[in-house]
Amino acid sequence: EAGVTQFPSHSVIEKGQTVTLRCDPISGHDNLYWYRRVMGKEIKFLLHFVKESKQDESGMPNNRFLAERTGGTYSTLKVQPAELEDSGVYFCASSFSGRETQYFGPGTRLLVL
Amino acid sequence: EDQVTQSPEALRLQEGESSSLNCSYTVSGLRGLFWYRQDPGKGPEFLFTLYSAGEEKEKERLKATLTKKESFLHITAPKPEDSATYLCAVRMTGTASKLTFGTGTRLQVTL
């Protein structure tokens, strides 16, 4: 069974540009989560989808971040315009409804110059 | 505020030298505590879930235990391939499903 996949694995952009990250969850997982780890800090929650609906977006830092989950399958996280402090590793995770365990993808390493 | 603290930050062991990693938490209500392993350049890999004080889970050389205030990850006779960062995360009671992570313990096991 394929795990959570994320694309791209790395992205280097300049301040002010736009970047879109993609996450494909494990097949059949209704829950999809985005997390972020900035340099030297712990992994922090950004938001949670149940199917195509945003269940919790309390961790989104500001309105430059937009997350979508088309048809309850894959999800995208767009940062527009990117700022230097957005640099970090963005992880996606997924889980079955009713199950606690979240399975993580390999992450997208974003560097904003 | 919910908090997860892991110690030590880094640990160097010789092969076969057993030790324990600590995860202490202060949350309003614990629904579950999770241990993950993370290798460089990869995402967190699930190891264990613990739900209530007194619970223990084992997998190969790893054993996780839980009390009302902390969890331990015991590593027995580690091998170099156990070298990784070990992350602890908690999920609170209530409707939110998000995990709150600690900063991790970087474990290095040498020959």
Side-chain angles (χ1 to χ4, degrees):
Chain A
E1 180 183 293
V4 177
T5 57
Q6 293 187 245
F7 182 84
S9 59
H10 295 79
S11 181
V12 181
I13 61 173
E14 293 191 350
K15 175 182 171 180
Q17 290 186 319
T18 298
V19 63
T20 300
L21 314 181
R22 173 172 170 143
C23 168
D24 286 80
I26 293 172
S27 177
H29 282 195
D30 287 340
N31 295 286
L32 187 149
Y33 307 84
W34 284 98
Y35 291 85
R36 176 173 75 170
R37 183 171 197 162
V38 298
M39 183 76 76
K41 300 282 190 179
E42 69 274 21
I43 296 173
K44 285 194 171 179
F45 168 80
L46 295 178
L47 86 158
H48 169 209
F49 283 100
V50 177
K51 298 185 181 179
E52 66 275 9
S53 300
K54 292 176 186 174
Q55 181 78 10
D56 180 357
E57 38 183 340
S58 61
M60 294 288 264
N62 52 60
N63 59 9
R64 295 185 294 102
F65 289 75
L66 175 64
E68 294 179 325
R69 189 177 183 194
T70 308
T73 55
Y74 71 92
S75 174
T76 57
L77 180 64
K78 182 192 289 188
V79 185
Q80 178 182 32
E83 298 289 345
L84 300 179
E85 63 265 25
D86 300 332
S87 296
V89 184
Y90 289 77
F91 293 106
C92 176
S94 69
S95 70
F96 276 117
S97 286
R99 301 282 182 88
E100 301 288 349
T101 302
Q102 297 179 24
Y103 296 91
F104 282 76
T108 293
R109 281 139 192 84
L110 174 65
L111 180 60
V112 183
L113 301 175
Chain B
E1 185 181 316
D2 301 323
Q3 208 164 14
V4 179
T5 303
Q6 292 189 246
S7 62
E9 283 188 22
L11 181 62
R12 185 170 176 154
L13 300 173
Q14 287 200 318
E15 185 174 15
E17 181 186 1
S18 301
S19 188
S20 296
L21 313 182
N22 176 264
C23 171
S24 63
Y25 59 92
T26 52
V27 296
S28 52
L30 181 72
R31 178 155 173 167
L33 185 142
F34 304 81
W35 282 98
Y36 287 86
R37 168 193 170 128
Q38 187 174 21
D39 293 297
K42 297 192 176 181
E45 175 189 344
F46 172 72
L47 293 174
F48 304 110
T49 309
L50 301 166
Y51 293 104
S52 56
E55 190 174 0
E56 299 183 351
K57 295 270 180 76
E58 275 189 79
K59 180 181 178 180
E60 296 180 354
R61 296 176 292 282
L62 299 177
K63 178 175 157 182
T65 61
L66 181 65
T67 72
K68 288 187 178 179
K69 293 184 179 180
E70 59 191 348
S71 176
F72 291 93
L73 184 65
H74 307 277
I75 303 177
T76 302
K79 298 183 177 182
E81 53 262 41
D82 295 323
S83 298
T85 295
Y86 290 85
L87 300 168
C88 170
V90 300
R91 179 180 168 179
M92 293 169 17
T93 53
T95 56
S97 300
K98 64 182 179 182
L99 297 179
T100 300
F101 279 86
T103 51
T105 294
R106 291 190 314 278
L107 173 65
Q108 184 180 15
V109 182
T110 59
L111 293 170

